[in-house]
Amino acid sequence: MGLTIAQKIIKEHLISGEMTPGSEIALRIDQTLTQDATGTMAYLEFETMGVPRVLTELSVAYIDHNTLQSGFENADDHRFIQSMAKKYGLYFSRPGNGICHQVHLERFGKPGKTLIGSDSHTPTGGGIGMLAMGAGGLDVAVAMGGGAYYITMPKMYKVNLTGKLRDFVTAKDVSLEILRILSVKGGVGAIIEWGGEGVKTLSVPERATITNMGAELGATTSIFPSDEVTKAFLEAEGRGEDYVELKSDEDAVYDKIVDINLSELKPMIACPHSPDNVVAVETLKGTKVDQVCIGSCTNSSLLDMLKVAALLKGKTIRPEVSLSISPGSKQVLAMLADCGALSDILASGARVLECACGPCIGMGFSPNSGGVSLRTFNRNFEGRSGTADGQVYLVSPETAVAAAITGEITDPMLLGQSLSVTMPDKFKIDDSAVIPPAPQDEAKDLPILRGPNIKPFPDSKPLGDNMELPLVLKVGDNITTDHIMPAGAKILPYRSNIPHLSQYCFAVCDETFPARAKEAGESIIIGGNNYGQGSSREHAALVPLYLGVRAVIAKSFARIHAANLINAGIMPLTFANPDDYDTLSQGDVLKLDNIYEGLESGSLTLKDVTTGEEILLSCSFTDRQKAILKSGGLLKYVGQGNL
Ligand code: MIC
Ligand code: SF4
């Protein structure tokens, strides 16, 4: 039987396990990346492992999330990460150099390699045929220390592309269309391979937009073939030697095939507050727009920005709309400046922001009260923009510009003649903002620089054989990590300070949760389907751990979050019968007995002491996951000699 592209890369990197969907596999990891919002914690964890030098082929520490300074906190964390990178053998990408995924694609990613990153949009690397996955910081720390990355062998899905995108219909519309078809849960447990005749019509940045937003489908990752288009991109980046061809076998078998005819697609838009709440742009025609933001790791490539500049050229944005543009990298910004496109952008009245995540993670540019904000980003979860009642829509750069110049949601196909924007033959290469590590012989004497914002991470406890604890919080379906542990300018600088962060845990759903959890001492949370979707932030597990949460029982979990809970020593348990969710109420006391026996048999009986009801839970953990839970989390497990 033939293999898919992902199966070929997995086979080459397989350390242990069977490549049958559902079984646990251990993968050798070639490259890692971190960003600062998850990186500080990841490096604190790496430090405790006592490994003198990273053991990957390449590891890069990016600073791109926390770049707004209003105190010492971010600067403390940046300095800490820089000193860790220098000492332990990592490249350090300075603030301003760009968004990790964009820069990694430009300068470091290689087809056929494995990459894990402490950021859920790491699958962007799938645009050049990498097996690139988002992971919790601790999993990245382990991979830097030479340990394997464990995942459940995914199913293989294929999206078969035919045709060619029409003018003003973009890769972002392809992403939104697949979200409309499959939903935010539709990719869970799967790798999505993009194939078919239509693939060759898509450039690398367009492919990367699509693999980036595979994260919103819940997919383990997404991947494109590595072909002539990939080769040309790598050559233009001066990295032609990194090219290898990658394609699936003719007789590769897929668990699901979705067909999309690019020629028939229309501009699409995701409505508040979920990336899969997708309709055609034309159906919302005329809706007044207050704000437009262009950028993020989804749509900040040179190609995107050149199109934006061409559309803005000679036009002025509406006085009632504010427009921000964040180029994805220093390379993109420098090339925009060199060719004059930056002047066209500035002349339109747009505000050009730093090459960073910026508004995407609520770092400034929050919409006005109840404001309608059209963003080229990948997530529009409630409150993520920093304005609780902000109405965030996700669109392509073309649709974004159409709104900025008309003041309302407008189908960009009405903008007129086609754009003649193409990929350059050569990118401008300037890696001066990437600082290489110190040579190994000098490294051991180098200091690690820490400031008072860096607090120790919470201590986890080994799993006992029983627990009787209150149900402190019951939440519904599709709870995101932005609900569990919000980000934004106010609290993002405290990612290395779990006690401070804990005051905001679940603030979007219930501001009284932290106090209640603290008072309870130890507790249980109940969730619906797809609990923990979105970000890879392990803070969404570490903060509940700090607040005493010992188990989360849900109808289903998002992949990275479930792994983060186990890594933190918190049990993610699922209802054997999802309807039992309805029988539990916040405030009930829940009892689990004979946990160790349950871990072996794969099921546990939950007794609701308050109502007397008994419920069956499933807990099908692998032997390794059981051992991690029993040790009290991955760090403790690694400390026992299990790297
Ligand atoms: C996000 O887009 O939600 C983030 C911020 O990039 C996160 C990482 C984080 O929370 O630090 C992600 O996608 O993993
Ligand atoms: Fe940054 Fe937004 Fe991309 Fe997350 S999704 S890495 S916050 S640009």
Side-chain angles (χ1 to χ4, degrees):
M1 192 177 76
L3 297 178
T4 68
I5 301 170
Q7 285 167 338
K8 289 183 186 185
I9 304 178
I10 290 173
K11 196 171 167 204
E12 242 183 59
H13 291 82
L14 194 65
I15 296 175
S16 65
E18 292 288 318
M19 283 175 55
T20 28
S23 37
E24 188 179 60
I25 53 168
L27 295 175
R28 179 169 49 77
I29 296 302
D30 301 319
Q31 299 190 349
T32 64
L33 70 79
T34 57
Q35 40 88 340
D36 50 314
T38 53
T40 314
M41 202 49 77
Y43 295 112
L44 287 168
E45 290 160 342
F46 176 75
E47 212 181 7
T48 65
M49 291 176 198
V51 178
R53 195 89 175 160
V54 291
L55 292 167
T56 47
E57 289 176 13
L58 174 92
S59 287
V60 189
Y62 292 91
I63 307 287
D64 55 1
H65 281 61
N66 281 316
T67 57
L68 278 190
Q69 306 282 141
S70 64
F72 60 89
E73 290 84 2
N74 287 343
D76 272 9
D77 287 5
H78 297 178
R79 221 166 57 117
F80 167 71
I81 294 175
Q82 184 166 357
S83 65
M84 284 293 296
K86 189 169 182 191
K87 187 176 174 80
Y88 289 104
L90 294 97
Y91 286 81
F92 177 74
S93 173
R94 307 182 70 155
N97 192 43
I99 305 173
C100 55
H101 309 304
Q102 175 66 26
V103 177
H104 208 83
L105 195 74
E106 291 169 357
R107 305 303 307 136
F108 298 111
K110 295 184 185 178
K113 296 284 182 186
T114 51
L115 163 71
I116 64 168
S118 59
D119 193 282
S120 64
H121 290 105
T122 305
T124 311
I128 51 167
M130 297 192 89
L131 190 77
M133 292 163 285
L138 185 46
D139 282 320
V140 176
V142 167
M144 290 191 292
Y149 180 49
Y150 291 81
I151 55 165
T152 304
M153 180 66 197
K155 290 180 278 188
M156 299 290 143
Y157 292 177
K158 182 170 186 183
V159 185
N160 199 27
L161 296 177
T162 51
K164 188 173 183 315
L165 290 170
R166 290 178 292 162
D167 289 337
F168 300 106
V169 187
T170 70
K172 179 59 158 276
D173 302 307
V174 179
S175 291
L176 294 173
E177 172 67 0
I178 192 72
L179 273 154
R180 190 188 66 77
I181 297 171
L182 293 179
S183 89
V184 289
K185 308 193 285 287
V188 174
I191 292 182
I192 301 178
E193 180 181 310
W194 292 77
E197 273 302 291
V199 160
K200 62 175 187 302
T201 69
L202 298 174
S203 65
V204 163
E206 290 172 307
R207 296 174 184 191
T209 293
I210 293 171
T211 55
N212 174 286
M213 276 197 82
E216 276 51 71
L217 295 163
T220 303
T221 189
S222 304
I223 193 163
F224 272 81
S226 172
D227 57 11
E228 287 303 310
V229 175
T230 324
K231 186 165 181 256
F233 174 81
L234 290 170
E235 280 168 355
E237 284 286 353
R239 305 200 289 121
E241 70 283 2
D242 291 341
Y243 173 71
V244 289
E245 189 190 7
L246 284 174
K247 57 180 180 192
S248 55
D249 292 330
E250 291 282 315
D251 54 346
V253 178
Y254 296 90
D255 299 279
K256 183 184 273 197
I257 298 183
V258 179
D259 292 305
I260 294 183
N261 183 346
L262 296 172
S263 313
E264 284 172 4
L265 271 188
K266 291 177 175 174
M268 307 298 277
I269 183 166
C271 305
H273 298 285
S274 181
D276 62 358
N277 197 2
V278 173
V279 295
V281 171
E282 63 194 3
T283 61
L284 296 181
K285 180 171 153 284
T287 308
K288 223 180 109 349
V289 172
D290 300 291
Q291 183 193 61
V292 175
C293 300
I294 300 177
S296 93
C297 56
T298 318
N299 278 120
S300 60
S301 65
L302 181 67
L303 191 68
D304 282 331
M305 293 295 158
L306 288 173
K307 287 187 190 162
V308 166
L311 286 170
L312 286 174
K313 192 178 168 95
K315 306 215 171 64
T316 308
I317 59 168
R318 295 284 303 187
E320 62 276 16
V321 177
S322 92
L323 168 65
S324 78
I325 298 189
S326 325
S329 68
K330 197 173 89 155
Q331 181 178 78
V332 173
L333 180 57
M335 291 183 74
L336 287 177
D338 287 355
C339 73
L342 187 59
S343 301
D344 297 331
I345 291 175
L346 290 170
S348 73
R351 288 167 63 183
V352 176
L353 309 184
E354 198 176 13
C355 304
C357 300
C360 179
I361 192 56
M363 271 286 173
F365 234 83
S366 299
N368 55 296
S369 301
V372 170
S373 179
L374 257 61
R375 301 177 161 212
T376 67
F377 306 166
N378 45 39
R379 291 186 172 146
N380 58 347
F381 304 144
E382 197 170 2
R384 181 175 161 102
S385 66
T387 299
D389 58 0
Q391 303 297 307
V392 177
Y393 294 77
L394 306 176
V395 295
S396 70
E398 284 80 338
T399 305
V401 174
I405 56 188
T406 61
E408 51 188 48
I409 295 180
T410 302
D411 186 336
M413 292 180 98
L414 303 175
L415 286 182
Q417 84 275 32
S418 65
L419 298 171
S420 59
V421 171
T422 49
M423 290 282 288
D425 293 338
K426 284 271 165 276
F427 288 99
K428 181 170 184 166
I429 294 156
D430 168 11
D431 291 330
S432 57
V434 178
I435 303 175
Q440 195 156 1
D441 51 337
E442 288 167 27
K444 65 177 189 322
D445 301 322
L446 291 174
I448 295 301
L449 308 173
R450 275 168 243 272
N453 190 42
I454 298 174
K455 299 277 185 273
F457 37 79
D459 199 18
S460 51
K461 272 202 200 157
L463 186 65
D465 197 30
N466 45 59
M467 52 178 79
E468 183 169 332
L469 301 172
L471 192 180
V472 277
L473 184 71
K474 183 176 176 185
V475 287
D477 286 346
N478 292 323
I479 286 295
T480 72
T481 48
D482 279 291
H483 289 101
I484 305 171
M485 197 51 256
K490 198 160 106 194
I491 50 177
L492 208 52
Y494 295 95
R495 280 292 183 86
S496 54
N497 186 340
I498 300 289
H500 183 90
L501 274 188
S502 70
Q503 305 166 60
Y504 303 95
C505 189
F506 278 107
V508 184
C509 311
D510 179 351
E511 279 181 347
T512 61
F513 167 74
R516 222 170 40 243
K518 266 196 167 159
E519 199 190 318
E522 292 195 335
S523 57
I524 294 178
I525 289 176
I526 302 293
N529 270 313
N530 202 20
Y531 180 87
Q533 68 158 324
S535 155
S536 68
R537 62 188 74 147
E538 60 187 336
H539 303 75
L542 292 177
V543 171
L545 168 71
Y546 175 81
L547 291 171
V549 175
R550 305 289 289 147
V552 179
I553 306 170
K555 292 184 187 171
S556 67
F557 288 89
R559 177 186 73 92
I560 307 176
H561 187 61
N564 285 341
L565 287 173
I566 295 172
N567 288 353
I570 299 175
M571 274 196 300
L573 300 166
T574 45
F575 293 100
N577 172 7
D579 292 342
D580 287 339
Y581 167 91
D582 299 324
T583 69
L584 302 173
S585 308
Q586 195 163 300
D588 289 358
V589 174
L590 307 179
K591 193 169 175 204
L592 286 168
D593 281 327
N594 304 320
I595 294 177
Y596 280 25
E597 212 179 282
L599 290 183
E600 289 320 311
S601 68
S603 63
L604 274 171
T605 305
L606 176 85
K607 180 154 188 186
D608 185 331
V609 179
T610 312
T611 62
E613 197 94 28
E614 289 203 349
I615 284 173
L616 205 61
L617 304 177
S618 36
C619 55
S620 52
F621 301 119
T622 65
D623 288 346
R624 180 177 166 274
Q625 290 170 330
K626 285 179 220 162
I628 293 173
L629 286 168
K630 286 182 184 167
S631 312
L634 181 57
L635 212 50
K636 294 232 163 97
Y637 177 73
V638 167
Q640 293 158 358
N642 296 307
L643 184 62

